[in-house]
Amino acid sequence: MIRIERKDAVQILTIDRPEKKNALTGEMYAAMAEALEAANENDDLRVNVILGQPEVFTAGNDIGDFLKSSAGGNIEGAPVVRFLRALGSNEKPLVAGVDGLAIGVGTTVLFHCDMVLASARSLFKTPFIDLGLVPEAGSSLLGPRLMGHARAFELLCLGQGFDAERAREAGIVNHIVGEDELKARTLEIAQAIAEKPTEAMRLSRDLLIGDRAELKERIEAEIRTFAERLTSKEAFAAFSAFMAKSKR
């Protein structure tokens, strides 16, 4: 589930499915998308925060749930697509606190964040290619911008895991903090952002981000290619092997 709370002008989205390593279902994607969309329309909400659980931010997609909702490559109406589009259209500062595993979308969502804090035991990994798929969430555009082509290739194509220090060096993470203080420090930074002059913050963030059209176009291109790949022999073999391993 996604727990949604509010602390003053800060909206906190907490991924809360520790028994499944915070793997994201369609219902969870829909809840996060709705929260981000609602924040855009609410002037009283100034910052969004995403948190996970101790030792696991998220293991990425719940593969079984995802395959059920995307049979035949039909993902246009899937909640994950709504969430990806909500990220591309998010108008409020986004802060994340990561402890432990950040797999797949658990890493690519961070490319949309304005501030990311992580514990030293965090691991960032995107196994898209291993599943016969392609990167998503605009990461094929944002990744090279953020860390350069070589490191983006290493993370997104080779699927090499980055520890917290490597992620900080790559520009994905702002600060590495102790796991015991992660939540408090993340909320402290979010509150500091919320207390800044609202319009000046909005204008400054928009200038830093620039024209969103290219990002939105890339997200749509990734969605189309991702859908096509879901029906490929490579993806079928990879998912079959993954599900067989899970059953064992």
Side-chain angles (χ1 to χ4, degrees):
M1 64 174 289
I2 303 295
R3 287 191 287 110
I4 301 175
E5 308 165 82
R6 181 171 170 180
K7 184 176 181 181
D8 300 322
V10 177
Q11 177 173 244
I12 307 164
L13 285 63
T14 303
I15 308 170
D16 189 11
R17 198 188 179 207
E19 72 281 4
K20 293 293 185 179
K21 295 185 179 180
N22 274 3
L24 296 165
T25 64
E27 183 179 357
M28 295 164 75
Y29 277 121
M32 291 192 292
E34 184 176 346
L36 293 179
E37 292 163 356
N40 284 348
E41 304 301 322
N42 188 342
D43 292 339
D44 293 331
L45 287 175
R46 298 182 181 178
V47 183
N48 291 306
V49 171
I50 302 179
L51 297 171
Q53 298 298 317
E55 299 188 44
V56 58
F57 183 62
T58 174
N61 277 323
D62 181 309
I63 298 297
D65 180 84
F66 176 73
L67 291 178
K68 288 178 183 177
S69 66
S70 59
N74 181 21
I75 64 173
E76 176 58 36
V80 62
V81 169
R82 179 183 175 188
F83 175 66
L84 298 178
R85 289 170 175 159
L87 283 176
S89 300
N90 174 48
E91 297 175 4
K92 303 296 175 71
L94 183 60
V95 180
V98 179
D99 182 23
L101 295 177
I103 308 300
V105 72
T107 289
T108 57
V109 69
L110 304 177
F111 297 174
H112 296 265
C113 290
D114 301 283
M115 293 285 292
V116 177
L117 280 72
S119 69
R121 64 186 178 187
S122 296
L123 174 66
F124 306 84
K125 189 176 178 65
T126 63
F128 302 119
I129 308 301
D130 292 339
L131 291 172
L133 302 173
V134 296
E136 35 77 311
S139 59
S140 63
L141 176 69
L142 298 177
R145 282 184 179 176
L146 183 67
M147 65 188 91
H149 173 85
R151 278 189 291 200
F153 184 92
E154 184 179 358
L155 179 67
L156 297 172
C157 295
L158 181 60
Q160 184 68 46
F162 282 17
D163 63 16
E165 181 57 34
R166 186 76 198 283
R168 189 190 65 79
E169 292 173 355
I172 301 169
V173 168
N174 294 84
H175 302 292
I176 300 173
V177 302
E179 54 263 26
D180 293 338
E181 60 178 327
L182 176 68
K183 181 177 179 179
R185 287 283 303 279
T186 302
L187 295 180
E188 179 183 329
I189 286 177
Q191 186 62 38
I193 296 171
E195 291 174 358
K196 299 291 184 183
T198 306
E199 187 65 6
M201 177 61 72
R202 183 188 69 78
L203 291 169
S204 298
R205 183 173 182 270
D206 284 347
L207 287 168
L208 288 175
I209 292 173
D211 186 1
R212 296 174 188 266
E214 186 180 10
L215 173 59
K216 292 180 179 179
E217 289 172 3
R218 182 61 61 88
I219 289 173
E220 295 302 323
E222 290 172 346
I223 289 169
R224 290 192 298 271
T225 307
F226 199 100
E228 292 169 359
R229 294 300 304 163
L230 282 172
T231 63
S232 70
K233 292 181 180 179
E234 285 182 336
F236 178 80
F239 279 113
S240 297
F242 180 90
M243 297 305 290
K245 182 179 179 181
S246 296
K247 288 179 180 179
R248 289 198 301 270

